[in-house]
Amino acid sequence: MRLLSLNEHGDLAWREFSQDKIPPYAILSHTWGTEEVSFVDLVNKSGKSKAGYHKIVFCGEQAARDNLRYFWVDTCCIDKRNNTELTKAINSMFRWYRNAVACYAYLSDVATSASNDVNAEICQSAWEADFRRSRWFTRGWTLQELLAPASVIFYSSQHKQLGDKQSLVGLIHDITGIPISALHGHPLDTFSATERMAWAANQQTMESEDGAYCLLGIFNIFMPLIYGEGKDSALKRLQREIDGLPVTGMVSVIWRIYLDRH
């Protein structure tokens, strides 16, 4: 696993750790923009001018405030040129989020007053409408990034803390329809495949195949990635894996709805 840190000059550094020697770390959940910092940018030290660099630094600075030296960001901690590494990373992603000490959900489309010194959590009425509409809740990868970690802390575009998964559980339930017990960390395998498919029915992904791949951890399934196979093929392969789980007849109905929306 490749983890980032901020050196004494505030610049990004990175190290690779074997599975049995991963130190405590924070992890970032966010929506992708047009100027994200890639692993190549990280190696070449050429990402500072990109808009996405600022949220990476925010993640590192927040991790330091939480006494964590290391942190992980999907845009630049995976060398996506390497298909083997990409496949391993996506199949490991749920576990990486689950094992993080804290997950910081950075909502770039939720604004809070930069001049307001009052804890944003107290002023929920000022940002709740933006929170409900946030694009973060519509992306496919959000489902596992919300459910896997024990601690998910939400931040506005001004880096103000809005609350966490526990304090905002009722609001998150209203937005997503995910049961409060699941948001509180109840094991996912105690929910039927039908229920879990329903949680994902309205989610969208940038890559069509990711509509299937982003659900691997939700069903504790591991399978090879074949980008270019198209969404129908990827979803059918996932369906064959899910068919091996205990399901009810209703799952086929939910599955058809999911296929139609992806």
Side-chain angles (χ1 to χ4, degrees):
M1 185 180 189
R2 188 176 291 119
L3 292 174
L4 302 172
S5 61
L6 294 176
N7 63 24
E8 62 273 17
H9 304 294
D11 295 324
L12 290 174
W14 56 274
R15 285 182 59 187
E16 294 188 18
F17 295 90
S18 60
Q19 189 60 45
D20 59 340
K21 295 183 179 179
I22 297 174
Y25 62 92
I27 202 163
L28 184 68
S29 178
H30 64 111
T31 54
W32 280 43
T34 57
E35 291 189 339
E36 297 296 345
V37 178
S38 69
F39 176 68
V40 173
D41 293 327
L42 192 67
V43 172
N44 296 336
K45 303 184 185 301
S46 58
K48 282 190 173 182
S49 62
K50 292 187 172 182
Y53 187 82
H54 301 290
K55 60 188 170 186
I56 297 174
V57 172
F58 154 71
C59 184
E61 292 175 342
Q62 185 58 51
R65 285 190 285 270
D66 291 336
N67 297 314
L68 295 169
R69 179 179 178 183
Y70 294 102
F71 59 101
W72 188 91
V73 181
D74 59 349
T75 59
C76 57
C77 286
I78 305 170
D79 184 358
K80 299 176 181 66
R81 302 168 302 175
N82 185 322
N83 289 333
T84 300
E85 179 175 331
L86 180 60
T87 295
K88 181 178 180 180
I90 289 182
N91 276 279
S92 303
M93 201 84 71
F94 188 91
R95 184 176 70 253
W96 289 350
Y97 274 89
R98 183 188 62 205
N99 292 343
V101 174
C103 173
Y104 308 137
Y106 174 72
L107 308 184
S108 59
D109 52 2
V110 177
T112 50
S113 174
S115 61
N116 187 356
D117 292 330
V118 179
N119 190 319
E121 193 172 356
I122 300 175
C123 307
Q124 182 170 332
S125 60
W127 50 260
E128 182 176 322
D130 284 348
F131 189 85
R132 288 181 176 275
R133 292 190 297 264
S134 178
R135 188 165 63 92
W136 186 82
F137 286 106
T138 69
R139 56 189 282 275
W141 296 103
T142 288
L143 190 58
Q144 68 173 9
E145 294 167 20
L146 176 61
L147 292 174
S151 172
V152 180
I153 309 166
F154 295 89
Y155 292 89
S156 72
S157 56
Q158 287 75 32
H159 305 171
K160 285 188 175 288
Q161 184 174 325
L162 305 174
D164 59 26
K165 183 167 63 169
Q166 304 308 319
S167 66
L168 299 173
V169 67
L171 181 56
I172 297 169
H173 166 70
D174 287 346
I175 296 168
T176 64
I178 298 172
I180 288 176
S181 56
L183 294 169
H184 280 320
H186 205 63
L188 293 183
D189 60 7
T190 61
F191 298 91
S192 70
T194 304
E195 289 177 280
R196 284 175 278 171
M197 284 302 306
W199 303 341
N202 294 312
Q203 307 300 94
Q204 302 295 324
T205 58
M206 294 176 63
E207 298 289 342
S208 59
E209 294 89 353
D210 283 341
Y213 303 155
C214 70
L215 298 177
L216 296 180
I218 300 300
F219 291 98
N220 195 28
I221 286 170
F222 303 88
M223 70 182 201
L225 311 186
I226 311 174
Y227 282 105
E229 68 175 318
K231 63 180 181 181
D232 289 343
S233 176
L235 288 167
K236 286 175 182 176
R237 287 199 297 124
L238 178 62
Q239 183 182 16
R240 285 196 292 271
E241 297 292 336
I242 292 176
D243 284 344
L245 301 175
V247 298
T248 66
M250 183 58 68
V251 72
S252 61
V253 176
I254 299 294
W255 185 260
R256 285 197 296 272
I257 294 172
Y258 188 73
L259 284 172
D260 289 343
R261 293 177 178 175
H262 291 75

